[in-house]
Amino acid sequence: MKITKAIIPVAGKGTRFLPATKQLPKEMLPILNVPMIHHVVKEAVDSGIEEIIFVTSSGKESIENYFDRNFELEMFLEKAGKHDYLEMIKNIGQMVNIRTVRQKEQLGLGHAVLMGKTGISDGESFAVLLGDDLIVSEKPATKQLMEVSAARNNSSVIAVMEVPNEETSKYGIVAGEKLDEKTLKMTKMVEKPDPEDAPTNLATPGRYILNKEIFDILEEIPRGAGGEYQLTDAINVLATRKDVFSYTFDGERFDTGSVKGYLNATMEFALRDPELKSYAMDIMQEKLNRYKG
Ligand code: UTP
C-alpha cells in the first residue's frame, strides 16, 4: 500500500522561540535562507508524499502562502531577468498539493493529528512529520519508515534515534522486543523517563507512519501529561491492538524548535553549503580565537 499523504502539525505556539514567534510562525524561521518548514515538506515530497495536510492555527497563514504561487513576484523576477530566482520561486509553488485544517485550540500534538482525520481515507496509512524537527539524511527519514512499514505488513512505524543515557528524561522513549539492529516490535512508549527507569535509550523525534485506527484512539483517550491530548498515549493504545514497530533511522536530527537546536542546524547547513563552507569555517575560527578562554 503506497503512502501518499502526510499530516504536518504546525499549530503550536512556539513559546521556546519567543519573542520571534510573537508574530512569526516558528516553522517559517529560516535556516540560512530556507524556512525550516521547506526542509520538512521537501523530506515528505522526496519520500513520495503527494499531499500535505497542514494543521494550522491563527497567524500561520504565511506557511500556506509560502507553498502557493506568487504571480506578482514571478512577474517581477521575470521582468528583472532574474531567471534562477524565478525558477526557484515557481518550483516552491508547485512542490506538492497542500490542504490545511485548523486546530482551533492548542490541545496537544495528539489533538493536532486528529484534526487531519478528514483528509485520510479508510484503510489508508499516512505519515506525520513535525514541522520543527529537521532530519538530514541521504535517504529521507520518512522514506526509511515507509519501507519498514511496507516490509511489515503496512504497520505503524515510529522513528527513533539513540540518545545518551543521561538524556532520556528529555524525550519519549520506546520499549519493545528487538527484531534486528534497527527495529523493535514496540510494547510501549514512556514519556521522559529518568535514566534509571528508561527501558532503552531510543528516543522519538517527530516522524511517524500511522494506521488510520490511530484516529479512533485519539478520539477515545483522555487528556494526558500537561493536560494535553498526547500522541504518545494513543500510540501506546495502538501497540496493544496492532503491531507497531520502531526503527532507528539513518540521519542526523535537529530540534529546530529550540534555540540551541536551531543554532546547531544553522551551523551544520552553512558547513554543508559548498559556497559558504570556507567562509563559515573562517568566521567560526576567528570567533573561537576571540572568545575562547
Ligand atoms: P512542540 O511542543 O514542539 O511545539 O510541538 P510548540 O508547542 O509550538 O512549541 P513550544 O514547546 O511552545 O516552544 C511539536 C509540534 O506539534 C505542533 C507544533 O506546531 C510542533 O510542530 N503542535 C503542538 C500542534 O500543532 N498543536 C498543538 O496543540 C501542539
Side-chain angles (χ1 to χ4, degrees), residues 13-27 29:
K13 295 258 182 253
T15 45
R16 284 169 297 162
F17 243 110
L18 283 167
T21 45
K22 180 173 178 225
Q23 199 52 36
L24 279 175
K26 161 176 67 180
E27 298 78 8
L29 295 175

Side-chain angles (χ1 to χ4, degrees), residues 28-148:
M28 286 302 292
L29 295 175
I31 310 292
L32 304 175
N33 57 332
V34 178
M36 62 174 91
I37 191 68
H38 180 123
H39 292 290
V40 176
V41 168
K42 186 165 187 308
E43 178 192 322
V45 171
D46 289 347
S47 302
I49 293 296
E50 294 164 9
E51 184 176 316
I52 303 279
I53 302 164
F54 279 130
V55 181
T56 70
S57 57
S58 155
K60 300 274 182 166
E61 297 76 11
S62 57
I63 299 176
E64 253 179 282
N65 291 341
Y66 179 81
F67 291 100
D68 201 353
R69 296 286 294 269
N70 181 337
F71 292 106
E72 210 180 312
L73 179 60
E74 287 178 21
M75 262 163 58
F76 168 79
L77 293 171
E78 174 99 65
K79 273 198 190 140
K82 299 192 171 176
H83 298 292
D84 290 355
Y85 286 124
L86 177 62
E87 219 31 49
M88 176 202 279
I89 293 306
K90 270 189 178 169
N91 287 342
I92 295 169
Q94 294 168 339
M95 216 165 156
V96 67
N97 289 326
I98 302 277
R99 197 196 272 232
T100 58
V101 290
R102 283 274 184 145
Q103 185 191 26
K104 293 183 183 163
E105 267 186 283
Q106 280 56 71
L107 298 177
L109 178 59
H111 182 257
V113 170
L114 179 58
M115 297 299 103
K117 178 181 176 180
T118 47
I120 308 294
S121 311
D122 284 343
E124 195 178 17
S125 293
F126 58 96
V128 174
L129 296 85
L130 297 195
D132 60 354
D133 256 330
L134 291 199
I135 297 180
V136 176
S137 56
E138 225 160 87
K139 184 186 283 187
T142 297
K143 176 126 186 108
Q144 297 178 43
L145 301 187
M146 285 175 172
E147 289 177 358
V148 177

Side-chain angles (χ1 to χ4, degrees), residues 43 47 109 126-130 133-137 139-149 155-163 171-175 181-186 188-191 200-210 231-232 235 238 244-254:
E43 178 192 322
S47 302
L109 178 59
F126 58 96
V128 174
L129 296 85
L130 297 195
D133 256 330
L134 291 199
I135 297 180
V136 176
S137 56
K139 184 186 283 187
T142 297
K143 176 126 186 108
Q144 297 178 43
L145 301 187
M146 285 175 172
E147 289 177 358
V148 177
S149 175
S155 297
S156 298
V157 184
I158 318 297
V160 292
M161 59 184 189
E162 282 184 38
V163 296
Y171 299 95
I173 299 288
V174 300
E181 273 317 299
K182 290 169 150 284
T183 320
L184 287 192
K185 183 159 175 287
M186 269 178 60
K188 62 176 177 173
M189 263 169 90
V190 191
E191 220 21 86
T200 63
N201 65 342
L202 298 173
T204 55
R207 296 292 185 272
Y208 313 81
I209 301 295
L210 295 171
L231 185 59
T232 305
I235 290 172
L238 186 67
V244 177
F245 298 91
S246 75
Y247 181 73
T248 310
F249 63 93
D250 290 319
E252 190 177 356
R253 176 262 192 171
F254 298 89

